[in-house]
């Protein structure tokens, strides 16, 4: 499968401070990769290196097969970026903001109508951007980055501050784009979002990738307590452990048709991160 992004031993130092230390990562066509870590872990530095805004100290970064230290502006016709410094033209309407980028990228104006409708901004298309709420501006920045169907999309906290309904619609949109082959590089503090969207996640800590794998793989890897919650048909809830005695008990309940449901207790991504690094995702 086609590689859209490849990082090989990427390091970045600012004087004596090592912001990144030996980052290796690959994203292929149709993958959503989560890059997760607390503030100061190196997420923004990595995105700036990938998108050619900053040069690494060591290592190589290839975006769509091109060395990011040498890329030219034409690559942005194939790349979408939503970062914390992505802005809008405040004195221009929602439609005007979208049209400016559509003209630059050669996008059919009908796409604007479709995307604004999808994220709940069609009713605000004639409103100046300065009149939008924070969440509405964030939605505008997102759909503006999507309008040309980029080969790879960089998202930095894309649903922060959005209501649950809009967040769900954006998630659906991202999954549809993934099905169409778009690669997505996602940074987020929302571990449920990462679990729902990402094929794989990299847990970043102090400039290094502490763990990498699918959300399920990491949860099972750190499922050390091995506790099981059993809801019985009589309504009672029992807690069992991974012992010979409790396995025999569970088997007996199942044979007697006394088990309504069985739930495992593997940790979520946030708990995995805390266990791996000793730090919380804040």
């Amino acid at each position: 499968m086609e590689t859209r992004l490849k990082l090989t031993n990427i390091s970045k130092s600012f004087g004596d401070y090592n912001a990144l230390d030996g980052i290796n990562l690959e994203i292929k066509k149709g993958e959503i990769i989560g890059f997760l870590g607390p503030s100061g872990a190196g997420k923004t530095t990595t995105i700036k290196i990938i998108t050619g805004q900053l040069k690494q100290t060591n290592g190589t970064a290839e975006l769509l097969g091109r060395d990011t230290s040498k890329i030219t502006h034409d690559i942005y016709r194939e790349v979408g970026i939503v970062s914390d410094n992505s802005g809008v033209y405040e004195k221009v309407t929602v439609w005007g903001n979208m049209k400016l980028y559509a003209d630059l990228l050669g996008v059919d104006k009908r796409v604007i109508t479709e995307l604004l409708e999808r994220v709940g901004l069609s009713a605000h298309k004639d409103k100046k951007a300065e009149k939008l709420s924070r969440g509405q501006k964030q939605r505008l920045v997102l759909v503006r980055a999507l309008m040309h169907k980029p080969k790879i999309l960089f998202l930095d906290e894309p649903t922060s501050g959005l209501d649950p309904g809009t967040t769900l619609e954006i998630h659906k949109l991202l999954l549809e784009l993934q099905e169409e082959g778009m690669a997505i590089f996602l940074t987020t503090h929302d571990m449920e979002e990462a679990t729902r969207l990402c094929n794989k996640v990299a847990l970043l800590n102090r400039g290094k990738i502490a763990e990498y794998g699918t959300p399920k793989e990491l949860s099972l890897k750190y499922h050390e307590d091995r506790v099981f919650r059993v809801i019985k048909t009589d309504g009672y809830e029992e807690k069992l452990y991974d012992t010979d005695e409790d396995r025999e008990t569970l088997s007996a309940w199942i044979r007697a048709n006394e088990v309504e449901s069985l739930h495992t207790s593997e940790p979520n991504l946030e708990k995995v991160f805390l266990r791996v690094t000793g730090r919380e995702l804040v």
Side-chain angles (χ1 to χ4, degrees), residues 4 18 37 47 69 119 156 188 198-199 224 265 267:
R4 297 282 169 89
N18 294 322
I47 289 178
S69 65
V119 296
D156 190 4
T188 179
C198 297
N199 300 102
E224 298 167 354
S265 57

Side-chain angles (χ1 to χ4, degrees), residues 44 47-55 68 71 76 81 83 85:
T44 301
I47 289 178
K48 285 183 176 180
I49 289 172
I50 293 169
T51 54
Q53 302 173 64
L54 192 65
K55 288 190 177 182
T68 62
I71 58 176
Y76 294 110
I81 303 173
S83 67
N85 59 3

Side-chain angles (χ1 to χ4, degrees), residues 75-266:
I75 200 171
Y76 294 110
R77 289 185 174 272
E78 301 178 282
V79 175
I81 303 173
V82 176
S83 67
D84 57 359
N85 59 3
S86 295
V88 296
Y89 293 100
E90 297 283 347
K91 301 296 183 182
V92 178
T93 65
V94 168
W95 179 268
N97 268 277
M98 294 288 283
K99 184 178 181 299
L100 282 168
Y101 278 77
D103 289 342
L104 284 171
L105 298 167
V107 175
D108 191 314
K109 306 303 183 295
R110 288 175 293 184
V111 173
I112 300 177
T113 301
E114 177 187 333
L115 287 173
L116 292 181
E117 178 70 30
R118 190 63 190 271
V119 296
L121 285 178
S122 58
H124 304 282
K125 66 184 180 67
D126 296 321
K127 184 183 292 186
K128 288 186 178 180
E130 65 182 355
K131 300 295 185 181
L132 299 176
S133 69
R134 178 182 173 223
Q136 289 169 337
K137 285 183 181 178
Q138 199 154 353
R139 281 180 268 164
L140 175 57
V141 170
L142 176 60
V143 293
R144 193 180 64 188
L146 290 175
M147 70 165 67
H148 59 302
K149 296 277 184 80
K151 289 184 177 180
I152 185 165
L153 177 65
F154 295 94
L155 298 176
D156 190 4
E157 304 285 347
T159 58
S160 176
L162 301 186
D163 64 85
T166 304
T167 295
L168 181 60
E169 283 301 312
I170 287 175
H171 286 175
K172 287 180 180 178
L173 178 59
L174 295 177
L175 290 172
E176 287 176 13
L177 293 168
Q178 178 197 23
E179 284 292 319
E180 294 171 9
M182 187 182 295
I184 300 173
F185 183 96
L186 170 72
T187 71
T188 179
H189 282 80
D190 186 337
M191 296 300 100
E192 289 186 13
E193 179 170 72
T195 300
R196 187 178 303 121
L197 295 178
C198 297
N199 300 102
K200 294 182 179 179
V201 295
L203 303 185
L204 191 67
N205 184 44
R206 304 186 194 283
K208 295 183 178 183
I209 294 178
E211 273 289 5
Y212 182 74
T214 70
K216 190 66 174 178
E217 285 171 349
L218 296 183
S219 293
L220 291 175
K221 180 177 180 179
Y222 290 91
H223 186 199
E224 298 167 354
D225 297 334
R226 306 289 291 175
V227 179
F228 304 91
R229 188 165 59 91
V230 182
I231 309 297
K232 301 187 70 180
T233 52
D234 59 10
Y236 284 96
E237 180 177 323
E238 303 283 353
K239 185 181 290 186
L240 298 180
Y241 297 86
D242 191 17
T243 64
D244 290 340
E245 181 180 355
D246 280 1
R247 282 196 294 270
E248 290 179 8
T249 298
L250 179 59
S251 295
W253 288 345
I254 292 173
R255 287 194 298 270
N257 199 30
E258 295 178 5
V259 175
E260 182 70 32
S261 62
L262 175 64
H263 306 272
T264 58
S265 57
E266 62 265 20

Side-chain angles (χ1 to χ4, degrees), residues 11-14 17-21 40-42 45 204 206-208:
S11 298
K12 178 62 181 178
S13 299
F14 297 95
Y17 174 64
N18 294 322
L20 297 174
D21 187 4
T45 299
L204 191 67
R206 304 186 194 283
K208 295 183 178 183

